[in-house]
Amino acid sequence: MQQVQARLIKCMTISYSRLPQPLQTPSSESTLQRIASSQPKGVAKVVLKKGRTQLFKDGNPMVYSGAVDRIIGRPPPKTGDIVLVADGTEKPIGWGLYNSVSMFCVRLMQLEEEATRDPSCALDLRKLLETRIYAAMELRRGLGLPSATTNTYRLVNSEGDRLSGLIVDVFGDLAVVASSAAWVEKHKSHIEACISSIDEINHVHWRRSVEILKEEGMDVSDLKDLHPSTCPPRTKGQKVLDICCYTGGFSLNAAKGGAMSITGVDTSLPALELARENIALNNLDPEKISFLREDANEFMKGALSRNESWDIVILDPPKLAPSRKVLQSASGMYRNLNSLAMQITRRGGLLMTCSCSGAMTQSGMFLRTLQARCCIDGREKNHNPKTEWSSL
């Protein structure tokens, strides 16, 4: 896919469905604490500072060292070990994989509420890998991947599939693993075994993101820095809306994936001119793609007044919160945009919402804004901090 101009984005998506409520147990002891107590060697506990818990309970899997108050356990955990993550009262909120060197000292893998609903994966990385990779495969199959027209797609998308640091791209019967976390390297054999168990895959190739792994404390001086490939989303037969489309990156990929019609909306005339050039550059049908110069809010309000909806809605606004000083005002803009986007996505359709504002995502405010909007709009959602197409 060629483009005149491209940009980097940070994406988060929301998935709307009914979540089963956590089971209530008569014991005050948490599920994870009970299971950890039964482990022969015990499980170390990473205790968070006061006021730092909610961000991770809301779904951020990256526990940074500045959020940690103390570590309980002798001997201390080693890189790649399973640890409990607990609040200031030492009550577990989840479990994850420890790193003694990285600025992210724990990558959360499962929350306490999830372990209570289904303890089969609790503190069991092998079982969790099987479950998450199978779920990722089922999600792609639901999107028609692989298909008669393509056998190239991203099977595992790191935090998008709740396996932080692990990316798997599939090219026919070859799976290419991009490793960017120490735990991925330590548990390489388990990961390869899980991927190899998928019927369509006969070969697994391992690639390491060298610079990132150096920060993870890995000795990778003898390896080359390799970058994973990406694949466009498949949108066959769908009606797609690309809000804040810029030069049309998502729109072009939707067209390439077989979308029935695509509408791109942006306020920048130069960007839209480039987007139209990109249609010709990529030999796409101009009858299926239209780019409109209009304010995102006004366009979506107009669509609502006409009762118009789309199968897939992509919302990728520019950086609305360049610094923490404007977080409050920016959260209002994100809230309004996402509320409108939710309302014009048809039932059973897909919404992908993005933020390139680090201040919003790193503070957890982006997710909280979306959660609040869902409640106000009467939507129930099953949230995973994913980067993927998700159901509305």
Side-chain angles (χ1 to χ4, degrees):
M1 177 66 62
Q2 301 180 54
Q3 284 188 254
V4 172
Q5 187 170 349
R7 57 179 171 165
L8 294 173
I9 61 169
K10 286 186 179 178
C11 299
M12 295 187 69
T13 59
I14 49 179
S15 161
Y16 303 80
S17 61
R18 294 193 175 272
L19 252 180
Q21 294 300 310
L23 297 174
Q24 299 297 319
T25 59
S27 173
S28 60
E29 185 179 45
S30 77
T31 299
L32 289 176
Q33 187 63 66
R34 174 173 51 80
I35 295 173
S37 299
S38 67
Q39 301 288 315
K41 296 182 179 180
V43 180
K45 185 179 290 184
V46 176
V47 182
L48 300 173
K49 293 177 180 177
K50 183 178 180 181
R52 303 294 177 90
T53 304
Q54 195 61 45
L55 174 64
F56 309 110
K57 293 178 72 174
D58 283 345
N60 187 335
M62 312 290 276
V63 179
Y64 53 95
S65 57
V68 175
D69 181 61
R70 61 191 183 278
I71 297 175
I72 301 174
R74 290 289 182 271
K78 299 177 182 178
T79 294
D81 285 354
I82 289 175
V83 296
L84 293 175
V85 177
D87 62 19
T89 66
E90 300 184 10
K91 180 179 179 181
I93 66 165
W95 69 272
L97 295 158
Y98 183 73
N99 190 308
S100 61
V101 177
S102 172
M103 65 179 292
F104 300 112
C105 63
V106 181
R107 293 180 189 249
L108 273 168
M109 305 303 282
Q110 189 182 41
L111 295 176
E112 167 69 29
E113 290 79 4
E114 297 171 300
T116 302
R117 288 195 299 271
D118 179 13
S120 64
C121 296
L123 302 177
D124 187 339
L125 182 61
R126 186 188 294 266
K127 177 65 174 177
L128 186 81
L129 280 169
E130 293 174 357
T131 301
R132 295 273 165 84
I133 291 175
Y134 175 79
M137 185 72 250
E138 289 301 298
L139 175 62
R140 274 64 178 179
R141 284 173 177 162
L143 295 172
L145 295 169
S147 69
T149 57
T150 183
N151 57 5
T152 300
Y153 58 96
R154 177 155 289 181
L155 171 61
V156 177
N157 193 31
S158 193
E159 287 85 2
D161 290 293
R162 305 190 65 199
L163 290 171
S164 178
L166 175 64
I167 288 176
V168 183
D169 289 322
V170 176
F171 305 89
D173 67 346
L174 169 67
V176 179
V177 178
S179 166
S180 61
W183 78 265
V184 175
E185 291 295 308
K186 180 173 180 178
H187 300 281
K188 177 181 176 181
S189 61
H190 294 165
I191 295 168
E192 287 183 324
C194 288
I195 296 169
S196 298
S197 68
I198 298 172
D199 291 339
E200 297 90 342
I201 295 175
N202 296 320
H203 310 281
V204 178
H205 180 67
W206 199 270
R207 288 186 168 188
R208 294 171 173 89
S209 300
V210 174
E211 292 305 316
I212 297 176
L213 288 174
K214 286 179 181 177
E215 296 176 2
E216 290 274 301
M218 302 296 294
D219 181 9
V220 290
S221 58
D222 59 337
L223 299 174
K224 295 180 180 179
D225 194 3
L226 300 170
H227 300 280
S229 301
T230 59
C231 63
R234 291 298 180 258
T235 52
K236 187 174 182 179
Q238 304 294 298
K239 182 183 175 186
V240 178
L241 175 63
D242 185 2
I243 295 291
C244 303
C245 65
Y246 197 52
T247 59
F250 286 122
S251 295
L252 298 173
N253 277 280
K256 201 76 171 178
M260 178 178 64
S261 67
I262 306 104
T263 302
V265 178
D266 205 282
T267 56
S268 171
L269 182 59
L272 292 175
E273 288 175 346
L274 289 174
R276 295 186 182 101
E277 289 181 32
N278 283 328
I279 295 175
L281 186 63
N282 288 279
N283 299 313
L284 298 173
D285 185 355
E287 297 298 319
K288 290 186 177 181
I289 310 176
S290 60
F291 289 113
L292 308 176
R293 186 185 185 190
E294 191 169 345
D295 177 76
N297 282 290
E298 294 305 315
F299 178 88
M300 290 190 285
K301 288 176 182 177
L304 272 177
S305 68
R306 300 188 297 271
N307 292 319
E308 192 171 4
S309 63
W310 282 262
D311 301 303
I312 296 173
V313 174
I314 304 157
L315 176 60
D316 182 21
K319 184 181 288 188
L320 302 178
S323 68
R324 290 181 174 273
K325 294 180 181 179
V326 295
L327 274 178
Q328 290 301 323
S329 60
S331 66
M333 290 186 280
Y334 279 111
R335 183 170 56 248
N336 293 337
L337 284 167
N338 280 281
S339 176
L340 290 168
M342 291 174 193
Q343 294 176 73
I344 61 175
T345 304
R346 69 164 178 82
R347 287 286 174 180
L350 300 165
L351 168 64
M352 185 177 78
T353 182
C354 311
S355 169
C356 59
S357 298
M360 282 292 294
T361 53
Q362 292 170 14
S363 67
M365 187 171 287
F366 185 60
L367 176 56
R368 291 195 294 273
T369 298
L370 298 178
Q371 290 173 324
R373 196 67 258 171
C374 290
C375 295
I376 293 172
D377 289 343
R379 309 270 185 160
E380 291 194 30
K381 75 178 185 63
N382 177 11
H383 168 71
N384 288 331
K386 296 186 174 182
T387 304
E388 67 184 30
W389 298 108
S390 300
S391 177
L392 180 68

